[in-house]
Amino acid sequence: VIVDGVHHRTVVRDGPVVDLIDQPRLPHHFARIRSETLEDTARHIRDMTVRGAGAIGATAAAGMAQAALLGSGDVLARLEAAATVLRATRPTAQNLFHAIDTVLDAARPVSGSARLEAALRAADSVIEADAAACAAIGRAGSPLFTDGMRIATHCNAGWLAFVDWGSALSPIYRAHREGKRLFVWVDETRPRLQGARLTAWELQQEGVDHAVIADNALASRMRLGEVDAVITGADRIATNGDVANKIGTYAVALCARAHGIPFYVAAPRATFDPTTPHGDAIPIEERAPEEVGYTWGRDDAGAFRRVATTGSPCRNPAFDVTPAELVTAWITEDGVHTAPPASR
Ligand code: MRU
């Protein structure tokens, strides 16, 4: 992301330190945070200081490198222990598991000092591959968007959700830089408001015309003919093409189908799970009910405000599954696929 003319990657490995954009402080304050221990790195993933499938994967890769570099004793034992800690942070984003497995697979067959080198190389390759894939998704997807189009998106699958560029927003940024005038409807994305807080902020940095709407406003915009296409990201894609993404995506896809509007999903190959045959087998994270019962984000006095009736239980499923039949095309680093692309 470019902030005040300076290019920032969302996740940077700096030796044994993991350097992150502090996302809960956005959009009102831009700051970076340096995570110096594996425990802190895992906590930053769990509490969503860093969030978004690609950024979670890159942070996990850097966390594995951190574990390999810090401490004493057998490197492989440290990596395996770190893998257990990191796997327990968030269950849905496939990129997390892909990153951990990539580092373990690189370290296991080698021994001695070569093992540490192999782990670090693999961690860096996960981070670089994420950035490269997102840039390629932008190139592949931008031709779908022509001058004057009005595009809807849900949640944040932009720069902040990856190391760089993003998935769903990458084709929009690319098309915008190619000179196309685009307009983006930004779903606010309750409960954590990734749309209102993060996507809108990113679009502002890049100068893309947009408006934030309540999640329940998009259907009427479609009915009024004000939406030409939808593009979202994905947290995990099953081999049959079913897509797990931020809660609310399924409703958007159903509305798009009802109004004959194309529904695109953009994701790097690292989001495709070769071991999950269909969406019902994807683990769906349920987060703390307080995220629903309170407005997410602090008021001027620094407090979270309760909005739900006191005493009423809240439920907070963080993701839903959109069946493949509602997806017009899957956009990956190797192109636009109108049938579910084989996973890896
Ligand atoms: O809970 P989050 O913010 O980590 O959720 C992930 C997302 O931002 C979205 O589901 C996104 O569309 C896919 S991640 C690139």
Side-chain angles (χ1 to χ4, degrees):
V1 61
I2 294 169
V3 187
D4 295 334
V6 179
H7 176 244
H8 288 264
R9 281 187 161 191
T10 305
V11 180
V12 175
R13 181 174 85 79
D14 180 9
V17 176
V18 190
D19 187 298
L20 304 166
I21 293 178
D22 190 351
Q23 300 199 31
R25 299 188 73 183
L26 286 169
H28 307 300
H29 191 84
F30 179 84
R32 300 199 68 103
I33 190 165
R34 286 173 68 77
S35 178
E36 309 215 344
T37 67
L38 175 70
E39 290 63 37
D40 281 347
T41 303
R43 181 170 51 79
H44 290 319
I45 297 175
R46 207 178 309 112
D47 71 12
M48 295 174 61
T49 300
V50 58
R51 36 63 51 200
I56 291 172
T59 304
M64 292 290 280
Q66 186 168 49
L69 284 164
L70 301 176
S72 56
D74 180 41
V75 170
L76 188 57
R78 289 208 301 280
L79 286 171
E80 280 170 348
T84 303
V85 170
L86 291 165
R87 280 187 215 283
T89 52
R90 296 195 69 189
T92 304
Q94 169 63 11
N95 307 54
L96 173 79
F97 303 95
H98 168 77
I100 294 166
D101 290 340
T102 301
V103 177
L104 281 178
D105 290 349
R108 275 197 185 112
V110 285
S111 53
S113 61
R115 178 168 275 163
L116 175 62
E117 283 310 311
L120 299 183
R121 255 198 321 276
D124 291 340
S125 78
V126 167
I127 296 168
E128 291 308 320
D130 181 272
C134 286
I137 286 170
R139 291 191 293 274
S142 69
L144 297 169
F145 300 138
T146 51
D147 193 44
M149 271 178 88
R150 297 149 309 169
I151 304 156
T153 192
H154 190 73
C155 198
N156 172 262
W159 278 309
L160 294 164
F162 289 87
V163 174
D164 216 347
W165 285 104
S167 56
L169 297 187
S170 184
I172 292 174
Y173 294 139
R174 177 89 190 183
H176 175 75
R177 289 185 183 193
E178 287 163 356
K180 297 174 200 168
R181 285 165 300 126
L182 303 175
F183 175 84
V184 182
W185 291 110
V186 180
D187 270 0
E188 62 175 351
T189 318
R190 275 279 287 159
R192 295 280 299 225
L193 301 170
Q194 290 95 329
R197 296 175 41 249
L198 306 178
T199 296
W201 180 80
E202 282 193 15
L203 292 169
Q204 225 177 55
Q205 304 304 310
E206 188 69 12
V208 179
D209 197 13
H210 64 280
V212 178
I213 50 172
D215 293 326
N216 41 18
L218 188 59
S220 68
R221 296 303 100 192
M222 290 183 177
R223 189 169 149 74
L224 292 169
E226 296 176 5
V227 182
D228 302 305
V230 178
I231 187 164
T232 74
D235 294 271
R236 191 184 296 226
I237 302 177
T239 56
N240 73 343
D242 290 353
V243 174
N245 195 51
K246 183 51 59 192
I247 192 77
T249 304
Y250 177 42
V252 173
L254 283 170
C255 279
R257 173 58 54 91
H259 292 92
I261 297 165
F263 179 86
Y264 300 114
V265 173
R269 287 284 178 164
T271 303
F272 289 75
D273 179 0
T275 67
T276 297
H278 52 73
D280 290 343
I282 297 175
I284 300 295
E285 178 180 18
E286 175 128 7
R287 293 186 61 84
E290 287 75 19
E291 291 182 352
V292 171
Y294 290 75
T295 49
W296 204 87
R298 295 182 187 276
D299 66 17
D300 289 345
F304 288 88
R305 269 182 300 184
R306 175 129 189 129
V307 287
T309 305
T310 303
S312 288
C314 298
R315 292 287 305 273
N316 189 12
F319 301 95
D320 60 23
V321 172
T322 296
E325 72 225 32
L326 296 178
V327 179
T328 308
W330 296 257
I331 306 166
T332 72
E333 56 269 48
D334 42 39
V336 177
H337 309 265
T338 52
S343 20
R344 274 188 258 162

